[in-house]
Structures are given as C-alpha cells and as structure tokens.
C-alpha cells in the first residue's frame, strides 16, 4: 500500500516540487494551499495519487478537515510537511509593518504548529514522519531579521518535537535551505537553489530507514 504525504503551501515552489518528487517515488500526496486554481492544476498533473484540499493553513479547523479528507481517501497518513510560509515586504524592526509581522508569524509559526497538532494523532498510527521547512536564516543571526526569528522558532520546535515523537517511533525533520529560486522572492534567482533541490532533501529524510531520524538537512547554493 502506497504511503501518503500531506503538504501545506503545496501550490508552488518547494511544496509543489516535493509533491511531484513524492508522487514520482510512489507516494500519495495531499495538497493544501489557499490558491485553489494552482492546487487543482497540480493535482490534475500528478493524477490519481493526488488530492487537492484547498484551504488556509493558518486555520486550525481547515487543516483538521484537510487531514480528515486525506485519511478518508488514502486510508492513512504516513508523513506531513509543514511547508507554508511567507517573508516580509518591509523588513526591519522600526521600519517594518506590525500587521505584516502578525500575518507572517501566523503562517510561519502557527500554521506549522497546527500541522503538527492535526497530523500527529494520525502519524502515531503509522509511526510516521513530520517535516518542517526551516531556513538558513534560522541557523544564524541576521541583523534585524524578524523573518529569521520565525525560522529560529521552527528549528527549535522541530528539535523539541523530534524528542517527543521518538517515544512512539515517529520521526521529525527540519529542511533548512539557503536562498531558493521561488515566487517567495520578487525577482528570479536563477543562480540559487531550485525547489527540486529542497524536494530532494525532503525525500532523503523520508526515504531513510526508520531506525534513522535525519533531524536536519541544511543545504546552500554552491556559489
């Protein structure tokens, strides 16, 4: 029976690349994002292995409903990837927009917590795996970076959660890329990492022997 992976922020960039990589390795994929049109197109591209569950990852009930639909369709949940996230248009502590901070914190932190909360009861049944999109910005201090601080939270929480889920045979991994050429940035970054590189890192962790918990994969552009 094929394994099943639930992904937030799945309509483009890292999420979409991971969905394609997982499906190519025989996984079923459940895809959540706010962009219903992009999500439906991706699910159609992948085929019967994919389920589109449009919704806002910052809504706990929406994530709970998405996981329920995933299990209903595919029978079980083997992994979840808390990937939804955003940056800031106006960085800086004094110059920044507090409302934008609020939105970013909700999607970068609360949405990830919600994924863990709704997925773990199902992952316990399969001794499953939860992944988070961290960042190189969550591994070093960057002057005034509030975005980086949200990723420090993700790195810390993922480490803490890894200790929790190992009690029942589960695994937890944070995928920490440097700059990736995705719609996250206003301008293309063709000399940086590609979403497929990050998807490869996620699959490395997922495909490791169950005795081996790869707790972090840190990848950087080699230029």
């Amino acid at each position: 029976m094929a394994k099943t992976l639930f992904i937030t922020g799945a309509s483009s960039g890292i999420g979409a690349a991971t969905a394609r990589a997982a499906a190519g390795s025989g996984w079923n994929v459940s895809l959540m994002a706010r962009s219903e049109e992009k999500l439906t197109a991706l699910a159609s591209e992948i085929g019967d292995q994919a389920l589109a569950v449009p919704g806002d990852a910052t809504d706990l009930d929406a994530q709970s409903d998405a996981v329920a639909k995933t299990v209903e369709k595919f029978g079980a949940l083997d992994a979840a990837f808390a990937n939804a996230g955003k940056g800031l248009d106006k960085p800086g502590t004094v110059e920044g927009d507090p409302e934008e901070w609020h939105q970013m914190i909700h999607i970068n932190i609360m949405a990830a917590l919600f994924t863990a909360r709704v997925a773990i009861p199902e992952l316990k049944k399969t001794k499953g795996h939860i992944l988070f999109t961290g960042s190189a910005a969550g591994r070093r201090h960057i002057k005034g970076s509030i975005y980086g601080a949200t990723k420090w939270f993700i790195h810390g929480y993922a480490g803490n959660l890894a200790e929790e889920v190992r009690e029942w045979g589960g695994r937890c991994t944070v995928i920490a890329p440097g700059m990736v050429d995705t719609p996250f940035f206003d301008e293309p970054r063709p000399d940086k990492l590609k979403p497929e590189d990050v998807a490869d890192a996620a699959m490395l962790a997922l495909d490791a022997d169950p005795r081996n918990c790869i707790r972090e994969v840190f990848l950087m552009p080699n230029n």
Side-chain angles (χ1 to χ4, degrees), residues 63-191:
Q63 285 215 53
S64 180
D65 182 61
V67 167
K69 288 178 178 176
T70 301
V71 173
E72 181 181 3
K73 179 172 177 61
F74 296 120
L77 184 67
D78 300 278
F81 189 8
N83 168 69
K86 73 180 297 293
L88 294 172
D89 292 329
K90 297 179 180 178
T93 302
V94 175
E95 302 83 358
D97 178 358
E99 178 56 34
E100 195 179 20
W101 299 346
H102 187 271
Q103 294 170 7
M104 181 184 67
I105 288 168
H106 270 71
I107 194 163
N108 289 7
I109 294 178
M110 295 305 298
L113 291 172
F114 290 165
T115 302
R117 182 181 178 91
V118 301
I120 283 176
E122 295 299 331
L123 296 177
K124 278 186 174 182
K125 300 174 185 177
T126 58
K127 295 186 178 180
H129 198 152
I130 185 162
L131 301 92
F132 297 88
T133 297
S135 173
R139 302 180 89 255
R140 65 189 180 96
H141 293 289
I142 301 170
K143 181 176 66 175
S145 178
I146 298 170
Y147 166 80
T150 67
K151 292 303 182 179
W152 276 79
F153 177 91
I154 292 298
H155 282 246
Y157 176 64
N160 294 349
L161 190 62
E163 292 297 324
E164 179 181 343
V165 301
R166 69 184 298 214
E167 295 177 354
W168 43 265
R171 296 185 292 175
C172 179
T173 304
V174 59
I175 309 295
M179 191 174 289
V180 184
D181 184 21
T182 72
F184 183 91
F185 296 103
D186 293 333
E187 300 292 333
R189 307 293 175 108
D191 60 331

Side-chain angles (χ1 to χ4, degrees), residues 195-214:
E196 291 75 17
D197 299 322
V198 188
D200 288 345
M203 295 309 300
L204 173 72
L206 287 170
D207 289 339
D209 190 281
R211 69 175 175 267
N212 175 18
C213 179
I214 299 176

Side-chain angles (χ1 to χ4, degrees), residues 40-55:
T40 302
L42 178 60
S44 178
E45 172 196 328
I46 293 173
D48 292 342
Q49 289 170 259
L51 172 68
V53 279

